[in-house]
């Protein structure tokens, strides 16, 4: 009977527990993943209606200003060519004449974006890079890869090695142009690392901002080929943006329309990335450009450029040993430091400065001397480092300097050791002298006592004799 009651109670409790789990509200805690990021919570994020992934970066510091699914794995399509181009510039000679081989052009189909390179055609490596980055030519990418590494697999290894060096931990490349492959992937944040690195190269910057490029006649073509940049911010009257200075478009059926673009205005340099758009045309429904422009508008309106430090401005004041007349040293920087800060705030509340100087500064110091470094951070991200330069002369006080030398001599162990030894010798001599004097006094006392005893004996003897 007891077993039946216990089983019945257990069944009821299990039913209650199961019901509570079935009808409980879904948790909004750890299971809810935040997909949109803004640097400040009070900022209204841009309205991005078309892209699956987006990112906005301050190019000067690398700070992420806005992100939407920025760590999500995506197919990079032809934005892959950023890596191919920077490898060509860094490891190849742009003046080299490259002969297009059958092996290099074999993967190219009529569906590929291309400039029609023919087997045996001779082009310079520079022409190939321009064709790849301006016209997004897949055939140029394959010819470059074959020229630099000898095979597609070998070139892919070079690409992945460079990605690892740049910290692109969530990226893998299988080909030089972004042709779809399930194992060829990246993230918006990884592409931002690549784009920032590439844009530091002057040759790369010149290539990717080119709106139109002409290839002169070759051994296979009697006429020149005119190429127009696939980046409509550079080449289209509808979407042209004067502040845009690069960098690469991309599109496959699996990746959608992708755009990595950069723009500069009022000493602000921004990088925008949008991936996975469904563009319907090159005008009003070119959604990758609409969302990219929304990102740039957000960055240029919500932020401003603040000059944190500039040459001839005083950034730090410190005392100097032996300074004449107690003169203090003022320090400035050798190069301007800029920070991107919210336009609505004063801008300097969250900027931190870290000074690095020698533990001791001694006069004399000459104006213009490099004495240390200063590093500025904003919300934990380094926004600039500069050398600290003396902004004024600091003369030496001869009196203070001589007193210091004297004190160093007096306080030096090389001074005290001989003094202590001499004192010990003197003390020891005094002790020995006192001991000798004490022994002499004791001897004198014994002699006097003996003499007195002898006198007493003599007197006693004389007394008995008289008797």
């Amino acid at each position: 009977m007891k077993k039946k009651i216990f089983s019945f109670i257990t069944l009821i409790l299990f039913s209650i527990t199961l019901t509570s789990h079935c009808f409980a509200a879904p948790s909004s805690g750890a299971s809810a993943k935040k997909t949109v990021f803004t640097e400040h919570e009070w900022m209204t994020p841009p309205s991005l209606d078309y892209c699956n992934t987006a990112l906005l970066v301050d190019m000067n510091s690398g700070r992420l200003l806005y992100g939407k699914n920025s760590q999500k794995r995506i197919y990079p399509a032809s934005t892959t060519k950023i890596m191919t181009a920077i490898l060509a510039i860094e490891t190849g000679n742009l003046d080299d004449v490259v002969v297009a081989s059958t092996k290099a052009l074999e993967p190219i189909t009529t569906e590929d974006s291309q400039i029609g390179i023919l087997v045996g055609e001779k082009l310079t490596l520079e022409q190939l890079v321009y064709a790849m980055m301006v016209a997004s030519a897949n055939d140029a990418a394959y010819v470059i890869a074959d020229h630099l590494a000898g095979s597609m697999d070998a070139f892919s290894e070079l690409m992945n090695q460079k990605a690892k060096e740049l910290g692109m931990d969530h990226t893998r490349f299988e080909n030089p142009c972004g042709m779809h492959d399930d194992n060829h992937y990246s993230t918006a944040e990884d592409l931002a690392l690549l784009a920032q690195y590439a844009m530091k190269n002057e040759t790369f910057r010149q290539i990717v901002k080119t709106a139109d490029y002409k290839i002169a006649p070759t051994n296979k073509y009697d006429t020149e080929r005119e190429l127009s940049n696939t980046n409509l911010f550079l080449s289209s009257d509808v979407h042209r943006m004067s502040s845009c200075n690069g960098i690469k478009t991309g599109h496959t059926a699996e990746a959608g329309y992708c755009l990595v673009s950069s723009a500069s205005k009022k000493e602000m340099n921004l990088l925008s990335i949008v991936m996975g758009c469904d563009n319907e045309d090159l005008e009003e429904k070119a959604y990758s450009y609409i969302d990219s422009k929304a990102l740039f508008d957000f960055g240029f309106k919500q932020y401003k450029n603040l000059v944190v430090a500039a040459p001839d401005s005083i950034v730090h004041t410190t005392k100097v040993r032996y300074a004449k007349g107690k003169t203090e040293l003022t320090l400035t920087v050798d190069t301007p430091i800029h920070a991107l800060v919210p336009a609505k705030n004063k801008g300097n509340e969250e900027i931190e400065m870290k000074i690095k100087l020698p533990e001791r500064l001694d006069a004399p110091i000459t104006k213009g001397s490099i004495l240390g470094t200063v590093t500025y951070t904003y919300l934990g991200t380094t926004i600039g480092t500069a050398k600290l330069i003396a902004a004024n002369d600091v003369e030496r006080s001869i009196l203070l300097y001589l007193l210091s030398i004297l004190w160093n001599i007096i306080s030096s162990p090389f001074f005290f050791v001989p003094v202590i030894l001499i004192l010990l010798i003197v003390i020891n001599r005094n002790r020995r002298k006192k001991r000798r004097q004490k022994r002499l006094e004791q001897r004198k006392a014994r002699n006097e006592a003996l003499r007195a005893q002898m006198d007493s004996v003599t007197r006693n003897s004389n007394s008995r004799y008289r008797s």
Side-chain angles (χ1 to χ4, degrees):
M1 183 67 181
K2 289 182 179 179
K3 288 184 178 180
K4 289 183 178 180
I5 294 172
F6 178 78
S7 298
F8 181 73
I9 294 172
T10 303
L11 180 61
I12 292 173
L13 291 173
F14 176 77
S15 300
I16 293 171
T17 303
L18 182 62
T19 303
S20 65
H21 278 290
C22 290
F23 292 98
S27 171
S28 60
S31 61
K33 188 176 179 180
K34 187 175 181 180
T35 59
V36 174
F37 165 85
T38 54
E39 196 175 45
H40 299 276
E41 293 183 357
W42 51 264
M43 283 186 171
T44 302
S47 178
L48 305 181
D49 300 323
Y50 307 106
C51 62
N52 295 324
T53 299
L55 177 146
L56 184 69
V57 171
D58 170 27
M59 292 272 277
N60 293 338
S61 66
R63 279 164 46 208
L64 178 62
L65 306 180
Y66 171 85
K68 175 184 176 182
N69 297 320
S70 60
Q71 296 180 341
K72 181 181 178 181
R73 179 181 289 190
I74 47 90
Y75 297 122
S78 284
T79 62
T80 298
K81 293 166 184 170
I82 299 171
M83 175 63 84
T84 304
I86 195 63
L87 285 175
I89 293 168
E90 290 183 342
T91 66
N93 183 345
L94 296 181
D95 293 328
D96 280 351
V97 175
V98 182
V99 180
S101 67
T102 302
K103 178 180 63 173
L105 295 174
E106 186 178 4
I108 303 302
T109 69
T110 55
E111 296 180 358
D112 282 287
S113 172
Q114 57 179 295
I115 61 167
I117 298 175
L118 301 175
V119 174
E121 184 173 3
K122 297 179 180 180
L123 294 160
T124 66
L125 183 58
E126 182 180 63
Q127 288 174 321
L128 289 168
V129 175
Y130 267 97
M132 178 179 65
M133 298 306 286
V134 173
S136 198
N138 287 358
D139 49 357
Y142 274 97
V143 173
I144 290 170
D146 182 61
H147 170 70
L148 293 177
S151 71
M152 297 306 115
D153 289 341
F155 189 74
S156 295
E157 286 300 313
L158 290 177
M159 298 174 78
N160 290 318
Q161 182 180 343
K162 189 67 175 183
K164 185 177 181 180
E165 291 174 7
L166 297 178
M168 300 170 66
D169 298 329
H170 307 287
T171 295
R172 178 167 181 80
F173 295 115
E174 292 291 335
N175 59 71
C177 66
M179 187 181 295
H180 180 72
D181 186 311
D182 286 345
N183 291 321
H184 187 103
Y185 55 81
S186 188
T187 67
E189 291 190 12
D190 276 9
L191 288 176
L193 292 175
L194 173 60
Q196 290 176 87
Y197 174 80
M199 288 294 281
K200 292 177 182 177
N201 185 288
E202 185 177 353
T203 301
F204 181 92
R205 290 198 307 272
Q206 181 61 42
I207 293 171
V208 297
K209 73 178 182 181
T210 302
D212 300 290
Y213 183 75
K214 294 179 180 180
I215 296 181
T218 67
N219 62 320
K220 295 292 182 177
Y221 283 87
D222 295 331
T223 59
E224 69 178 12
R225 279 167 282 186
E226 295 185 5
L227 311 180
S228 183
N229 203 311
T230 56
N231 185 346
L232 301 183
F233 280 150
L234 296 171
S235 60
S236 165
D237 292 334
V238 176
H239 297 285
R240 191 184 303 275
M241 192 168 68
S242 59
S243 58
C244 181
N245 48 30
I247 62 174
K248 190 68 192 76
T249 59
H251 172 251
T252 63
E254 295 80 4
Y257 285 87
C258 309
L259 178 59
V260 178
S261 53
S262 61
S264 299
K265 185 189 294 184
K266 298 177 182 178
E267 297 187 8
M268 297 167 59
N269 300 298
L270 301 181
L271 175 73
S272 163
I273 296 178
V274 297
M275 312 294 284
C277 295
D278 293 324
N279 293 9
E280 295 182 25
D281 58 34
L282 299 179
E283 297 182 358
E284 293 181 358
K285 296 181 180 180
Y287 300 127
S288 59
Y289 294 91
I290 293 172
D291 277 359
S292 294
K293 191 174 185 305
L295 277 174
F296 284 127
D297 287 344
F298 168 80
F300 288 127
K301 290 178 181 178
Q302 294 281 354
Y303 287 88
K304 65 180 179 181
N305 179 63
L306 179 70
V307 180
V308 179
D312 298 329
S313 65
I314 304 304
V315 300
H316 187 62
T317 302
T318 185
K319 293 183 179 180
V320 177
R321 296 200 337 153
Y322 320 133
K324 186 176 182 180
K326 297 183 179 179
T327 304
E328 290 189 330
L329 174 67
T330 55
L331 296 164
T332 186
V333 289
D334 67 326
T335 185
I337 301 293
H338 299 265
L340 210 60
V341 297
K344 292 183 179 180
N345 287 6
K346 291 180 180 179
N348 56 359
E349 296 90 341
E350 291 152 319
I351 295 176
E352 296 181 359
M353 177 178 70
K354 186 175 181 181
I355 298 289
K356 188 175 182 180
L357 286 169
E359 291 184 6
R360 197 178 79 186
L361 290 171
D362 296 346
I365 293 176
T366 305
K367 181 180 179 180
S369 300
I370 299 173
L371 300 172
T373 59
V374 57
T375 301
Y376 293 92
T377 59
Y378 181 80
L379 296 177
T381 300
T382 300
I383 57 177
T385 299
K387 295 176 182 177
L388 284 172
I389 309 294
N392 62 296
D393 293 324
V394 180
E395 296 182 25
R396 176 189 289 172
S397 168
I398 301 301
L399 177 60
L400 291 177
Y401 182 64
L402 292 176
L403 288 174
S404 174
I405 293 175
L406 181 61
W407 170 251
N408 289 336
I409 292 173
I410 294 173
S411 60
S412 170
F414 296 103
F415 175 82
F416 272 105
V417 168
V419 170
I420 292 171
L421 288 174
I422 292 171
L423 288 174
L424 290 174
I425 292 170
V426 171
I427 291 170
N428 185 52
R429 285 182 176 177
N430 287 336
R431 286 180 178 177
R432 291 172 62 185
K433 183 177 180 181
K434 288 180 179 179
R435 285 198 295 268
R436 285 197 304 270
Q437 187 174 357
K438 186 176 181 181
R439 286 196 296 269
L440 289 173
E441 289 176 352
Q442 289 174 348
R443 188 181 302 161
K444 183 178 180 182
R446 286 197 299 272
N447 290 337
E448 289 178 352
L450 182 60
R451 191 179 296 112
Q453 187 178 1
M454 291 179 64
D455 289 344
S456 175
V457 171
T458 301
R459 285 195 297 271
N460 289 337
S461 298
N462 291 335
S463 176
R464 284 198 301 270
Y465 178 76
R466 291 191 190 101
S467 303

